[in-house]
Amino acid sequence: MKEHQTSIFDQALSLLSHREHSKKELISKLKTRGHEEEDIRATIERLEKMNYLNDERFAEIFVRSRLSKPLGASRISQELIQKGISSELAKSTIANADVDWFALAKQLKERKFGNEISEDFKEKAKQSRYLQYRGFNFEQIKYAVSESDES
């Protein structure tokens, strides 16, 4: 039994050495490797006590990686929740990220569609759908695809 415990712990450490994982991801990966629920639970607890597995740290790193894509808050939140992060932790991590969502939306729009502000309704709709898919809200999209009011 102890031999098996060591191997599951080593496998978990190996997974975590490549990148941060959420608790849910790690449990899922260990299950697919055929480990018992009880062994997985014990390993997860041990990793959390050692601070090798930390959902808050995972969420912070994940948010930063998604901002470089760039993705909007709602898309990032959705992805975090799919990875087993609570919606409260997802919201607070995103809120604590020092981000200008409006500038990010505009930057993505310009990278994908150029600097020109389109007057064509179909083109604006296409740009808006793209930004919405990427997780930006209505106000941010409106800002990104409309004439900038620079004073």
Side-chain angles (χ1 to χ4, degrees):
M1 183 67 186
K2 195 65 183 155
E3 194 60 44
H4 185 66
Q5 186 67 33
T6 304
S7 76
I8 184 175
F9 184 75
D10 288 344
Q11 284 181 11
L13 273 183
S14 174
L15 289 166
L16 288 170
S17 72
H18 296 288
R19 71 166 177 84
E20 288 283 340
H21 285 70
S22 69
K23 185 175 174 178
K24 179 184 173 186
E25 282 181 315
L26 196 58
I27 289 170
S28 172
K29 286 185 178 184
L30 292 172
K31 276 183 185 172
T32 59
R33 286 179 163 83
H35 295 292
E36 299 294 318
E37 293 271 343
E38 199 176 306
D39 294 338
I40 293 172
R41 194 174 18 255
T43 302
I44 295 296
E45 283 176 19
R46 185 174 167 199
L47 290 166
E48 286 178 324
K49 278 185 186 131
M50 299 169 82
N51 201 27
Y52 289 165
L53 182 64
N54 181 318
D55 275 355
E56 288 175 17
R57 186 176 58 228
F58 169 80
E60 288 169 12
I61 291 168
F62 188 85
V63 167
R64 278 198 304 270
S65 77
R66 290 307 188 250
L67 288 173
S68 66
K69 290 248 183 279
L71 294 178
S74 65
R75 174 85 179 265
I76 295 171
S77 177
Q78 209 174 28
E79 290 183 7
L80 280 169
I81 291 167
Q82 285 173 341
K83 297 204 174 278
I85 301 300
S86 72
S87 61
E88 296 78 34
L89 179 55
K91 279 182 192 138
S92 70
T93 306
I94 290 167
N96 293 335
D98 188 23
V99 182
D100 180 344
W101 298 104
F102 290 89
L104 202 60
K106 192 163 193 73
Q107 173 192 340
L108 177 60
K109 180 261 171 202
E110 290 173 354
R111 194 170 78 194
K112 177 82 174 169
F113 300 104
N115 293 352
E116 289 296 308
I117 299 293
S118 177
E119 294 306 318
D120 179 52
F121 178 77
K122 278 187 172 177
E123 181 59 28
K124 263 190 176 177
K126 176 183 171 185
Q127 293 175 8
S128 297
R129 279 192 308 274
Y130 177 74
L131 291 171
Q132 185 178 10
Y133 168 74
R134 298 293 290 245
F136 293 96
N137 70 28
F138 175 75
E139 292 298 319
Q140 294 157 355
I141 293 168
K142 191 174 143 191
Y143 173 81
V145 300
S146 299
E147 205 70 56
S148 56
D149 303 325
E150 289 171 352
S151 16

